[in-house]
Structure formats: C-alpha cells, structure tokens
Amino acid sequence: MSAVEQVAPGTPAPPAAPVLRAEGLRRTFGTFVAVDDVSIELRPGRVTALIGPNGAGKSTVINLLAGTLIPTAGQVRIADVRVEGLRAEEVALRGLARTFQTPKLYEGMTVLDMVMLARDRFGRASFLEIALRTPRTRRDRRASHAAAMAHLERVGLAHQADRLATSLPVGSQRLVDVARALASEPDVLLLDEPAAGLDHTETHDLTALIREIAAEGLAVLLVEHDMRMVMSIADDVVVLDRGRLLAAGTPKEVAADPAVIEAYLGTVAA
Amino acid sequence: MSDLAQYVLSGLSAGCVFALVALGFVIVANVTGVYNFAQGDYVMVGGMIMVATQTAGWPLLVGVLTSAVAVALVALAQERLTVAPVRRRVGMLGLVIASLGFGIVLRGLALLIWDKDPLSLPSFHDGTFGLLGARLDDQTWFIWGTTVVVLIGVVGLFRFTITGKAMRACASNPTAARLLGIRTGRMSMSAFVLAGAISGTLGAMIVPVSGVSWDSGITVGLIGFIAAALAGFEHPGRAVLAGLGLGVVQSVGAGVISSEYRDAIVYMTLIVYLLGRDLFDADGMIRRIVAARATSRTKRPRRAVSRVPDAGDAVPDGPRFAWPMLVPVVALLLLALAPFFLESGSQELSSATFVVLAAIAATGLGLVMGLAGQFSLGQAAFVLVGGYTVAILTTKHGWDPTAALLAGVVLSVIGGGLIGAMTLRLQGFNLAIATLAIHLSLLVVVSQATSLTGGALGIIGIPTLTVLGLDLADPSDFYWAAMVVLVACLWVARNISGSRVGQALRAVGQDEDGARSMGINPFRLKLVVFVVSAGMAGLAGGLWAFTLQFAAPANWDFTLTISLVTYVIVGGIGSVYGGLIGAVVVGGLEYWIRYHATSGLEGASLQWELIMYGLLLVVFVLFFKDGLARAFKADSVTGGLDRLRRRRTSASGPPGADIPTAAGTSGAAR
Ligand SMILES: Nc1ncnc2c1ncn2[C@@H]1O[C@H](COP(=O)(O)OP(=O)(O)OP(=O)(O)O)[C@@H](O)[C@H]1O
Ligand SMILES: [Mg+2]
C-alpha cells in the first residue's frame, strides 16, 4: 500500500485493512537468491493464493512470514507490528498460524494430543501450579481437550481423535494440521499445499472449509498447485517465479496475464 | 618476559595433545556424526601401553608404534561394537552416551590392569634446550615433531589419497557420497582408526611430561572437546589452533594465576565462549534485543486468551492408569521395605539411604534427558552445591539445618538457571560440556579453597537434620524423610511430564520448527525443566550432607554423574520413574559388588563398578532404549531381540542409511 492510497485521518477505516503486510522480502541461501523483493498483503476475510512453479520460493515466503526463516531484507508486519526479527513462536503468539508442506506428525501422539498442543498457549496455570497439579491445571486440561475436540469436529476428524496421528492416511494428516492451525485461533492462516495428496471429495471438503474460515474473518494465504481449487476460492492471486513477483491481481486478471501464461502455465503444459 | 615465553612454550606441548584430540573429535564427528566422548581415554590408553612397553624394555619407536596400533584397534572395536550395528536406529544422543559408556569401560579396565597410581617415564632423550629465553625439556622436540608429522600426514591423507577424499565427501554430504558409491561404513571405520592412531601416538609421547593415570583421559577429552567446539566441529585446522591455544591458556594461567586452577581456567574459556555465542549468535541476545526494539511499541499480552467459551466442564478429568506403573511401584516397595530388614545405623541402611538420595537426583536428570532431550554431564555439580551449602552454613555460620537445606536448593536452582540460560538456546552438546566443565571447576575450587571448604579433607561436624522440631538423627527416621522427599519429587516429575509442558517438550524433541509454529517456546520450557532438575539435585545433596555428616570433594565427583546417567538410561529415559528404577537396580547391584563380590574392601571395587556402569550404559542405550520401566510392556524385551534379529537380516544392505552430519546438528541455531 503506497502513501498515496492511504486514507486521510478522520475518514472511517476501510473494512478490511491488511492484517499482515510484507514489503520487499528477500532471502538468500549463500549466493542463491530464493526470494527477491516480494511484497504481499493479507486481509481479513480474503483468501490470497500464492502460486508458482516448483522451486519458485513459495514455501520460503511462508517461512519468512512465519518467522521460521529470517529475511535477508524486507519487513513483515502483523497488525502494524514489525515481526520479521522475532522467532517463530513469538510470531505464532501474535496471531499467525501455518501448516507445513510435509505435515508435522509426532510419534506416540494421538490426533487429539496434537491439536491440544496448539491450545498450549491458552493454559492459565503457571509452571508452579503445573508442577503441583493444582485444580486450575486440571481445568486447563479439560478446557484444552474440549476446544481441541471442537476443532477436530470442524474438520470432520472427531471420530479419529484417539488414533495415533502417524497411523492416519495422508489426507487426514493434512486435515489434522489444519485443525491444529485453527485451534490456535489465529488471525492469519498460511497453508502450504494443503490439498496435496487429497482425493477429489477431500479436496472439495477442504475448499469448503477454507471458504468458511475466511468468511469468519481470517486472512488466508494458500499455496496450491491445483489451479481449479485456486480459481474457485482465491480472492487474490500472487504469482511467484524464481523468487520474484510475476503478477498479482484477481484470479481472472492473473489467468489472462501473458507473462503468467508464459512462465507458469507454460511450464505446466510442457 | 622469559617467564612468559616459558609458559607459552611449555603450554604448547599440552596444547599439542589437546589439538590432536580435537582433531580426532572433528574427524569422527564429520564422517560419522558421533561426538566420541571416549576420545580422551584413547590418549590415556596410549600412555598406559607406552609405559607397559618401556617396562618390558622394548625400544622407544616400537613402543610408540605399539601404542598407536593398539589404540587404533581399540577405536576400531568401538566403531564395530557401538556405532556400526546401531547407527540407523539410535539417535545422536544414544550414540554419544554409548561412547561415554565405552570410555568408562576403558577407564575401568585401565584401573584393573595398571592400578590407581599415576605412572610416568623418563624423557626419551635426556637434556634441555633454550628457546626465546625459555628452557625446555628435550621431550618437547618429540611432542612438537610428532604433532607436525601427524598434521602433515592428515592433510596429505585428505588431499591426496582416495580414502581421504572419500572421507571428506562423507563429511560434507553423506547422501551424495553414498550415491557416488562411497562405502560410508568403511569411512566410519577409517575415521575411528585414524582418530585412535593419532591419540595413541600422542598419548605415548606425552607420558614423560605429564604422566598417565586411569582417569587422566577425562580432562584431556574435555579440553579437546572444548577445542573442537570452538572450531564448530567443522574445521580441522581451527580445531588444532584452538587446542594449541587452550594449552597455552592453561599454562599461562597456571603460571600467572595459580597452578591448582589451571584446568578451571580453561573451562572458563568455554563459559566465555558460550556466553559470546549466546550474545552474537543468529538467534542470540543481541539479535533478540534488536528485534524487540523494532516491535516494542506494542507488547503482546502475556497470556493468550481464547475467544471461544470454555467447554471444559463437558470433559471428564480422568487420570489414566497405565500398566508400566508396576515396575516403579515394585522399586518403591523395595525401598520402603529396606528399614524393616536393615538395622538402623548399619552400613547397609546407609547404602540404601544413598540409593534413595541418588534416585532423587536421577529423577531430576531424567526430566532433563527424557523430556527436555538434553544431555547433562553435571548433575553431580548441583548435588555438590547442595551438599557444600549445607556443610558450610551449618558448621561455620550456625544456620538452622532446614534453612541451610533450603539455601542449598536455592543456590542450585540459581546455578541451574545461569548454566541453562547460557547453553539451552544452542543445539548440540553444549549443555553436557558446560555442566561437566562447571562440575570439574567446582571440584577444583572445593579442593583448593581450604579456608572455606576444608580442601580435600572436607568439612566435618555437620549436625543431624531437624525439620520443624522433628529430630531425624536416627538413621531410619532420616531414611523415611528421604523417602518422603523422593516420593514428592516423583510426584512433581509426573505432574510435569503429564502436563502441557511435558507434551510441548515431547513435540519440541521430535520437531522443533513444528512446535515453534504453535507458539511453543522450546528454550523457556527446557530451561524451566533444567532448573527443576537442578533443584532436585541440590535437595539430594543437602540431605546427603546431613546423612554423611561431612562434605568432601570425593562424595560428589564425576563418578556420581556417571552413576546418575546410568540410572536414568537403565531405568528408562522415557519414563519419569526411570531414575528411581535405575537407582534401585543398578545402585543395589553396585553396593552388592562393593560389599560381597570384593570381600568388603572399600575402594578396591571401583574398577568393577566402572566396568559395570560402562557396559550397562552401552548395552541399554543401544539395545534397550526404553529401559526397565517398559520391561513388562509386551514389545520391549522381545523388541530388543527383534531388532537384533532384523539387524542380522539387513546387514547386507547399504550401511548407515541415515548418518546425521555433525554440522547439521551442531550448527543451525534456529
Ligand atoms: N534451506 C535452504 N537452503 C538452500 N536452498 C534452499 C533452502 N530452502 C529452499 N531453498 C531453495 O530455494 C528455492 C525455493 O524453494 P521453496 O521450497 O521455497 O520452493 P517452492 O516454491 O515451495 O517449491 P515447491 O512447489 O516444490 O514446494 C529452491 O530452489 C530451493 O532449493
Ligand atoms: Mg514448497
């Protein structure tokens, strides 16, 4: 958002000011430039799709936004607070949730356990109370359990709550990841190829879920290769190619952009 | 001026040993991913064999070569027995603990064969020479010469031979190396053999200067490790320089400050380095301060508040009873029966008391190793702090026993907080090394600060414990008090382990990035667990002082740390009751050996105890990872056998499918 576009003081703020704003992001690995001068805005209630060929730098962008990687240059703001120097857990506590391209699964943990991890931050008992197992600790646990079940219900996995997460099929594992991200009650949700490995109906259900989540006011960033899914739910599309922004706009605009057709769709067709 | 030259030049000799030990660490770590904690003991074995050959009248050169070959064979045996068969299944921590166990076995064998007293040899060539105003023994030439030859040899090997090039390839990228057809299993053997031969040679050369005794490998290994750590475990050249530098620091420090504190001075170098890394690391203090300034205008609320109403009342609050509980219950029952069968005031009951106290400290250590996934080699340091605090405050300052006990716990907790803050942010084995260094420094301090601690003789005349007017002078009363403390500690450990903190730490242990993405702060959780563990150790130490009624360095030295680590591993690293079970089983066995197997001769049983501890460590960590706590779960004992069988059938496959590189685990601050 440039200075010219900014509203003068006094006028009511537009309904959907960006909750996450990244400007001029750059990240190098040694001499290799993985992400170069990328700016992205995510607004409440909108789904922004981030697309691009393999190795374009999409996952790296997510890692930069989430604090998993520190940008070489550029800024990330969440609710107007600079976060790019913070560690991932600090960024998460400021309202950002993300999934990983390969779902994170913990051996020996049930689906419910994993979602309860995301509720860790809502525990009210201090460490001393935990060590002494005071009634408040037990209340925390029950509250966490109930909330985690509610989120599992939402993605349709409540009946699997007591199974080991590692024993589920890939599709369900991705849904566990989504449930876990939602359970932390974020303002911004970054999804890294959530539909990879899902079958047709699962993809359909996930699409509906993402739409519903956005409708509740979350800002969603969706990295996805399935163009049909992207076109059907994205409000905005950002195209990345070899680390650089190639195009940005509504799905229709982007789909008609000759540069995109050449660079991105061209490689897919090839 | 000539004094300084004297210190620097004589420091270089010790520095040569540290340098080559560090080189061994780096070679093995790079090629195999193992931090070989037996490396220092290689030097000791080399020295011992040199002494043996000279006693037998063999020529010098033959003696040195024999040492080199013998230690190379020892290293080869270690690789074949404790690395090759298990590399794919046992994590980094397991391999490191196994190498520690192997080193302990070597120490026990050395004690068995060559006895306790330090041995020495005359210089290879009588005489001295002058250099830059310093006067040095002719032996110095041999040490410097050997070091130069070894370095040239290693560089030549890596540069010009196929094996060397292949080893370097393994180091930089094991997967690619395998794809190129390099046999990483053979490379791993070569690395161990090379490290062994180097250490054996230098071990033989250094005997005339510093002598050799069964435990001289501990310091050498630790300082070599510090040098390797200073070089980030990646650059052989830097490791050598760091080793030489530490030798000089040690020697100059000994000359300028005090020769008693010479090792402690080197350990302080490590602490300074760790502090520096904490400040300047990519994830360190300075970075965080800068980041915090950018974001400081809006502080995040301390605690997140859920937007959805709490529906917790709908969920039943059922603590689940699980079967493996049986083993700890039996262990506790055994302890509870002890006072009924053992006479109050008997040696057996006091041994049982020690088992209870060790179980308290081991329970704390179990939390650190099992939950926080960190390896501490200094649990006995906190026991020592607790013990000496009680001793000093009660005898010299007339404190009330209970207040002194609490003060000991507080001091341990503060110490744990400081050490943890310095080391837990970084990955790798910094905590292990820092805690070990601090423990060894503390041992030096309590042995030397005679006016405060009574030196090696220690402090006598500690009163018996009285808590809230309850007199615990009678040994069986005291025993029950210790049992109450143990049960309380177990309860706290169980609460932590079963809580969201425990779950979060388990997640951190498996995938740190994933855990962080959920807002879990690994550093803070590890720190808090480490502090609790230090507190338990301090408590055990304070009680220990009251039951012994004296405090001396030998009560809480490095052997206690080894015992505690062994208890946790044998009992079961994944169970909060591991420390308890291990203490009862292994501790019981130890006292049985001491009183029965060696006809009651105090001290004469040490070698057998060492060998037992070392073997138990190796066997359990490699083949029965879950320990005795899970022994009666269907899968574990047979699981161990199963795994052995599977190994035999898969032995023909490509070895070492998943070797972690040292760089991958020690670097990567985020
Ligand atoms: N840690 C790293 N070190 C070195 N290079 C990296 C690292 N992470 C990513 N890269 C490189 O950066 C580029 C972008 O990677 P990234 O994973 O972001 O791509 P992507 O768009 O997510 O691709 P995909 O569609 O395959 O998931 C790739 O060329 C990758 O090899
Ligand atoms: Mg990706």
Side-chain angles (χ1 to χ4, degrees), chain A residues 29 32 34 52-61 69 101 192-193 225:
Chain A
F29 295 107
F32 176 73
N54 288 112
K58 307 179 295 291
S59 297
T60 307
V61 166
L69 289 173
Q101 191 165 349
D192 199 345
E193 305 196 14
H225 278 300

Side-chain angles (χ1 to χ4, degrees), chain B residues 20 23 144-161 194 198 240:
Chain B
L20 293 190
L23 184 64
W144 292 0
T146 313
T147 305
V148 170
V149 170
V150 165
L151 285 181
I152 291 174
V154 169
V155 170
L157 180 75
F158 281 142
R159 282 273 154 80
F160 302 115
T161 70
L194 182 61
I198 295 174
V240 168

